[in-house]
Amino acid sequence: MLQQIVLHTPWFVWGILALCIVMGVRQLHDQRQSRLRLMAVPAIWTAFGLWGMTSAFGLQPQTLAAWALGLGLVVAGLSQFAWPRGVRFDGATGLFHVPGSWVPMAMIMGIFMAKYIVGVSLAMAPQLAQLAPFGLGVSLLYGALSGLFIARANSVLRHGRAAVGGRATTLSL
């Protein structure tokens, strides 16, 4: 059965997986990032998660609320954590030094795998899209995964600037 799932996966999905892997591998190395880039990355992954939810369940108030709840809970829950550790802000260049980590790779792959598993599940059993617990659970998960990216960017912006006594800047949706 796994072989059939892989064989029936559209070719573009493997391209998206390759892109996700490349993006994740880049995060393994220390990077110098501008404020704009720090804010663009979570915006892209949040849009990807929101697209996954709306493509599976449509734009329904209850699934949108579950997505927003998952996002909000994660952002609020992680707001006081300094992660990744070792972030520095260079006031002269306006760039943030962000140490390499496996965490972003795990986050990227989490969104990809969640979207892939939901897509396979819906292809095999389309009626799942009509079940409220499934739609709400998946939407909550997509929101929580998106919230991880926003929480991480907020932490970098806040703790990187705080290390040099700068003004904190955070993302908000």
Side-chain angles (χ1 to χ4, degrees):
M1 183 157 108
L2 182 60
Q3 181 182 11
Q4 288 301 310
I5 291 170
V6 171
L7 289 174
H8 287 95
T9 297
W11 63 269
F12 70 87
V13 172
W14 303 120
I16 292 171
L17 175 59
L19 180 62
C20 289
I21 291 170
V22 167
M23 292 175 72
V25 168
R26 289 187 66 209
Q27 299 298 315
L28 298 175
H29 307 285
D30 291 2
Q31 296 189 21
R32 297 179 64 76
Q33 299 179 348
S34 68
R35 182 175 170 275
L36 180 61
R37 182 162 177 236
L38 281 167
M39 293 174 19
V41 170
I44 290 166
W45 288 108
T46 298
F48 188 62
L50 189 57
W51 170 63
M53 185 213 44
T54 57
S55 66
F57 310 109
L59 195 54
Q60 299 180 23
Q62 64 273 24
T63 54
L64 186 57
W67 178 85
L69 177 64
L71 186 143
L73 287 173
V74 169
V75 170
L78 296 176
S79 67
Q80 298 307 310
F81 290 95
W83 63 293
R85 300 235 185 256
V87 171
R88 295 185 315 273
F89 177 71
D90 182 346
T93 64
L95 297 176
F96 294 84
H97 174 267
V98 182
S101 170
W102 281 95
V103 172
M105 170 70 94
M107 292 164 36
I108 290 167
M109 295 312 296
I111 284 187
F112 176 85
M113 291 306 297
K115 185 149 177 32
Y116 184 77
I117 290 168
V118 169
V120 168
S121 298
L122 290 173
M124 294 175 69
Q127 68 275 15
L128 287 174
Q130 306 308 314
L131 299 176
F134 183 78
L136 294 174
V138 168
S139 298
L140 187 71
L141 174 64
Y142 284 165
L145 289 168
S146 297
L148 287 173
F149 285 94
I150 293 172
R152 183 175 186 272
N154 278 344
S155 179
V156 169
L157 290 167
R158 186 177 50 254
H159 292 96
R161 288 211 162 187
V164 294
R167 183 178 58 88
T169 305
T170 57
L171 299 173
S172 61
L173 292 180

